[in-house]
Amino acid sequence: MLTLLIKDPQRAAVEKASDGRQTVLYTAKGQPSHLYVVPRFTVDAHGAINAPDGQLHPAFIVNDRPLSEVFYGVYQGVLRNNELLSLPGQLPSRDLDFDRCHQAARACGQGWHLSTNAERSALALWCLAQGWSPQGNTEQAGVPYGAEVDPVMVSGAGPDAWRHDLSPHGIADLCGNIWEWQAGLRLLDGEVHVIANNNAAQADVSRDSPAWQAIRLSDSALVPCGSAGSAKFDAPNPNREGNAGIAILAEQILHYNGELGSDANTPGLLDCAFNQLRSTLPTEPPLLLKLLGLYPHRDLPDGDQLYLRNYGERLLLRGGAWYSGSNAGLRTLCLSHPRTHASLTVGARPAFIESTGVL
């Protein structure tokens, strides 16, 4: 029997130009999305963090099964026909709250999802191990947009230094331009909640989802939310009038910088350099917190910043925006906004896992 192969010129061109590092996949509505193929790796292979031999980074485990790779959006997402796409040369969509971004990513079809913190932290570790320190639009570079200048740049418009691997075909704009929502990590009244491994790519990520778990600080075990000894972020003092200073990783919260259960953005924001984050633990914080980008595994000469409120539900934003200056970066994280937050400085990025290609 004669088999006819229908070639996809767009995919073939992207794969050829990038030497297979990028590809084009199509959504449920047939729309193209440009994705970077991130091959799975063990933590010890990169040598950036001491870890047991052969331990996969959590980004490459979904429902206890290892993935061959993760397909990560090359570009910050643009919303088209209610699907979140990764496309070059487009202004990223903004003013979208977390749930809208999550729904638009899942609408692309099976395997598609809002990029997760596990994936983002894996990229940060990869870059650290390779000595890559990507920059970005953090000083209001801007492009003409109508009658004014929009400080947000079109996707992929920057130099190679704005790509994750400092090459023309790397992942663009992980630092600055706009903040990006990430699935699978939150604070709830200061307690760190995660969705195991990279299960956030498929799991229920709603506020009341049973998939949320806490992290026990003594051994990194995932335990029910509210368990004693779980990872929490404490404020150094009960200051609720302004910047409350350096965040403290602890088993108990002595000071909240707002009213428990409130999702309001009242004063009292914890704001410090990521390298300044400290711990009340008698030993080093567990490996999992470092793998998930929640605690520095070593001091680095960057200005990456941490912002958080340890009251209410706070969903994760990564990277920084066009106004962030040296505070933007791969490790910069913001856990200060509720899932309903939407602004012209916040967007998202799609990712994909091959459900049938799990090895």
Side-chain angles (χ1 to χ4, degrees):
M1 176 182 293
L2 177 64
T3 300
L4 297 179
L5 299 178
I6 302 175
K7 293 186 177 181
D8 178 345
Q10 185 175 10
R11 177 185 294 168
V14 168
E15 291 180 351
K16 181 178 180 180
S18 66
D19 196 24
R21 287 177 289 172
Q22 289 187 28
T23 189
V24 176
L25 299 181
Y26 294 86
T27 67
K29 294 180 179 177
Q31 299 189 97
S33 206
H34 292 238
L35 302 169
Y36 192 94
V37 185
V38 183
R40 73 181 181 193
F41 61 79
T42 59
V43 180
D44 59 295
H46 285 320
I49 296 180
N50 291 327
D53 290 346
Q55 178 177 334
L56 281 179
H57 190 281
F60 303 102
I61 305 172
V62 174
N63 297 327
D64 296 324
R65 302 179 67 188
L67 303 176
S68 300
E69 66 277 307
V70 166
F71 297 85
Y72 199 81
V74 177
Y75 306 104
Q76 292 175 327
V78 57
L79 195 63
R80 288 190 178 174
N81 296 325
N82 293 317
E83 293 181 334
L84 187 67
L85 310 176
S86 166
L87 296 172
Q90 305 296 314
L91 273 174
S93 295
R94 295 162 280 166
D95 208 18
L96 303 170
D97 64 27
F98 174 86
D99 288 330
R100 183 72 184 92
C101 293
H102 163 68
Q103 292 160 4
R106 291 281 180 94
C108 293
Q110 184 176 6
W112 292 92
H113 57 277
L114 180 66
S115 64
T116 69
N117 180 63
E119 293 163 348
R120 179 70 179 237
S121 58
L123 288 173
L125 179 60
W126 189 16
C127 289
L128 172 62
Q130 298 298 322
W132 301 326
S133 183
Q135 305 302 303
N137 174 20
T138 60
E139 301 290 348
Q140 306 182 39
V143 293
Y145 185 56
E148 301 178 353
V149 172
D150 188 339
V152 174
M153 296 190 69
V154 297
S155 50
D160 293 353
W162 292 11
R163 305 271 181 158
H164 87 281
D165 60 359
L166 314 182
S167 83
H169 303 293
I171 301 167
D173 306 319
L174 292 173
C175 171
N177 209 36
I178 59 171
W179 290 97
E180 297 180 30
W181 287 116
Q182 308 292 315
L185 174 67
R186 71 174 182 181
L187 293 185
L188 189 63
D189 286 334
E191 184 178 55
V192 176
H193 290 174
V194 298
I195 295 177
N197 295 316
N198 200 14
N199 292 358
Q202 296 182 339
D204 176 7
V205 297
S206 66
R207 184 183 183 113
D208 298 323
S209 169
W212 291 111
Q213 294 178 283
I215 302 173
R216 190 164 58 204
L217 278 173
S218 61
D219 59 4
S220 281
L222 297 185
V223 294
C225 299
S227 295
S230 63
K232 304 173 182 70
F233 282 117
D234 194 12
N237 57 62
N239 176 14
R240 299 183 183 180
E241 303 303 320
N243 188 317
I246 295 171
I248 304 167
L249 179 69
E251 293 184 346
Q252 276 188 307
I253 297 179
L254 301 179
H255 300 121
Y256 293 93
N257 56 338
E259 298 299 325
L260 288 184
S262 171
D263 293 342
N265 286 347
T266 54
L269 177 71
L270 292 172
D271 174 359
C272 64
F274 187 69
N275 279 338
Q276 289 180 311
L277 181 62
R278 55 192 177 91
S279 166
T280 62
L281 303 179
T283 60
E284 272 289 299
L287 175 63
L288 181 60
L289 291 179
K290 299 176 181 180
L291 292 181
L292 294 180
L294 280 168
Y295 198 84
H297 36 78
R298 70 182 187 195
D299 286 345
L300 294 172
D302 59 38
D304 294 13
Q305 200 80 351
L306 175 148
Y307 308 92
L308 67 85
R309 290 181 168 90
N310 65 354
Y311 60 97
E313 187 196 38
R314 307 293 164 177
L315 276 291
L316 178 65
L317 295 162
R318 283 280 189 188
W322 51 264
Y323 56 79
S324 298
S326 62
N327 292 338
L330 283 179
R331 301 189 301 160
T332 291
L333 71 156
C334 178
L335 282 161
S336 65
H337 293 295
R339 65 175 62 229
T340 55
H341 175 73
S343 81
L344 291 176
T345 63
V346 173
R349 188 184 302 249
F352 178 83
I353 57 171
E354 179 58 70
S355 301
T356 59
V358 179
L359 301 178

